Amino acid sequence: MAAYDRKLVLENGEEYYGFGFGAPVSGKVSELVFQTSMMGYQEVVADPAYAYKTVVMTYSIIGNYGLTDDDTENRSWSASGLVVREYNNKPSNFRYTKTLAEQMEENGVPGLAGVDTRKLTRVLRDCGTMKAVMVDADTAKETALAAIAAASLPENRVRDVSCEKRWHARTTKPVYNVAAIDCGSKTSAVRALNTRGCNVTVVPWNTSVKEILELHPDGIFVTSGPGNPEAVGETIETIRALKGTLPIFGVGLGCTLAALACGAKTVRLPHGHHGGSTPVRNLKTNGIESTMQNHDYAVDASSLKGTGLTVTYTNVMDGSVEGVENSAAKLFGVCFDPEGTDSPAVMAQFMAMLQKQKNGR
């Protein structure tokens, strides 16, 4: 059996040895989170919301169906690393165009296989998110811990993943025009709007209110993204200036940004919500819905008094806020991905708001 050639060192001093794959990158300090999806590793590693994060996949075999160019969420990958139990480098899928390792190497993302991910997940669940670094197996633990201690990860990560200039995603027979504020956009989110008759103009996170209004949108979509929402002040101010004027729909980070614009506060979740089949309760119907999630912060329920916000969804497992609404401000948001949920009402609500706005002109 080959000797381990790479390891993961956590800030609590624990070490996890394994075999490297992907990019031969060493010494990149990041936050360590676990992801519970049974499939969709391509979407995970390409999701801008994983910027400055190394992702531990809880599903045991990763790589078995390869990657498909048509399914990419973002051409530029933002994740800092990937940790798996077993990596399969011989995909069985007639659609695959690259192996996961090939795409990771092209994007500078290192991987570590052969790790007891069940144990590692329990550590993160019990101790919370922590910093970690992936290094060569013979690197002294003291050296790795010193690198972790010296590393300072940015709070505002949106500026690193947002587009630098506006771009357009048009559809046939459009009904609405939507301006999407890019805090870390995904192809699937834009496509979900296109399929519902929306021409979408995606703009950088710090685009001014004047520039947005010059696009004559029927509504505003605030995308998901990485980092602390309270650090994205320019986007919060933009939403604050636009609320009540145009319908605003925020998802993931966009939801917490919309809540902050109304005067609410946010709290950091112990280990975040990352994965599929996450159950949330729809407080309007009292039904349980399965969702796809990737966020580390939630709206603080105790801060909603006087904001005009009401809670629309809660997390079944920990009770945290998963959705808010302010009808007077024409604003609502959910912390889960609308394109990855079994709740058609979320997108339908935004479409109804766009139609009402269009009729009101």
Side-chain angles (χ1 to χ4, degrees):
M1 181 177 179
Y4 293 136
D5 59 0
R6 192 177 288 179
K7 68 179 178 180
L8 183 74
V9 182
L10 280 56
E11 66 176 307
N12 67 358
E14 293 190 16
E15 296 177 294
Y16 294 82
Y17 287 83
F19 306 99
F21 68 98
V25 176
S26 179
K28 185 186 293 186
V29 178
S30 62
E31 291 178 343
L32 192 65
V33 299
F34 64 89
Q35 220 281 352
T36 60
S37 296
M38 294 181 66
M39 60 185 70
Y41 54 79
Q42 173 174 353
E43 291 79 2
V44 168
V45 186
D47 188 344
Y50 282 113
Y52 296 97
K53 286 182 168 60
T54 291
V55 183
V56 179
M57 300 297 294
T58 60
Y59 190 65
S60 56
I61 302 177
I62 301 297
N64 52 306
Y65 55 85
L67 270 67
T68 305
D69 289 340
D70 291 342
D71 295 341
T72 188
E73 288 285 8
N74 197 293
R75 296 294 177 184
S76 179
W77 289 14
S78 301
S80 294
L82 187 67
V83 180
V84 304
R85 178 69 184 93
E86 180 181 342
Y87 173 63
N88 184 328
N89 202 42
K90 296 181 179 180
S92 177
N93 177 10
F94 73 97
R95 294 181 65 236
Y96 102 91
T97 50
K98 292 180 183 178
T99 67
L100 175 59
E102 288 170 342
Q103 190 71 44
M104 288 172 63
E105 185 173 5
E106 290 180 16
N107 284 274
V109 180
L112 181 66
V115 172
D116 185 347
T117 52
R118 182 168 59 179
K119 176 184 176 182
L120 184 52
T121 298
R122 289 173 65 92
V123 170
L124 294 174
R125 184 197 64 186
D126 297 340
C127 301
T129 300
M130 64 181 76
K131 289 192 289 186
V133 62
M134 204 178 296
V135 294
D136 293 338
D138 58 359
T139 302
K141 181 168 72 172
E142 292 72 21
T143 301
L145 290 175
I148 293 173
S152 178
L153 302 178
E155 290 290 302
N156 183 354
R157 302 174 188 178
V158 168
R159 62 162 57 97
D160 294 329
V161 299
S162 179
C163 59
E164 295 183 359
K165 61 180 182 179
R166 74 176 65 169
W167 57 277
H168 305 275
R170 297 186 175 92
T171 187
T172 57
K173 299 181 180 179
V175 181
Y176 312 110
N177 290 313
V178 172
I181 301 177
D182 182 8
C183 296
S185 63
K186 298 187 297 180
T187 301
S188 57
V190 175
R191 189 184 301 120
L193 292 170
N194 285 156
T195 58
R196 289 168 173 82
C198 298
N199 274 344
V200 182
T201 301
V202 182
V203 300
W205 69 282
N206 55 356
T207 301
S208 68
V209 173
K210 179 177 180 293
E211 291 175 284
I212 291 175
L213 292 177
E214 286 174 349
L215 298 173
H216 303 292
D218 298 305
I220 308 296
F221 178 70
V222 190
T223 76
S224 58
N228 183 351
E230 295 186 6
V232 196
E234 290 175 68
T235 306
I236 295 170
E237 289 305 316
T238 297
I239 298 171
R240 182 174 290 130
L242 290 171
K243 68 184 179 72
T245 303
L246 291 167
I248 298 174
F249 175 32
V251 300
L253 180 76
C255 176
T256 50
L257 292 174
L260 288 167
C262 291
K265 295 181 180 180
T266 57
V267 293
R268 176 150 193 171
L269 300 167
H271 46 70
H273 296 159
H274 308 283
S277 302
T278 302
V280 299
R281 183 178 297 278
N282 184 332
L283 299 185
K284 294 181 179 180
T285 66
N286 202 36
I288 305 298
E289 299 167 9
S290 178
T291 65
M292 180 71 71
Q293 305 203 6
N294 183 10
H295 63 102
D296 292 293
Y297 291 80
V299 179
D300 184 355
S302 67
S303 71
L304 298 185
K305 186 176 180 180
T307 65
L309 292 166
T310 57
V311 178
T312 55
Y313 287 89
T314 57
N315 189 286
V316 172
M317 295 183 291
D318 62 15
S320 62
V321 175
E322 293 280 3
V324 292
E325 182 178 78
N326 184 336
S327 299
K330 303 182 181 180
L331 174 151
F332 80 108
V334 293
C335 287
F336 47 86
D337 296 333
E339 69 277 11
T341 177
D342 64 6
S343 173
V346 176
M347 294 300 293
Q349 180 178 353
F350 188 44
M351 296 304 110
M353 293 170 70
L354 294 177
Q355 186 62 52
K356 184 176 180 181
Q357 181 73 15
K358 200 174 183 71
N359 292 342
R361 286 183 174 175

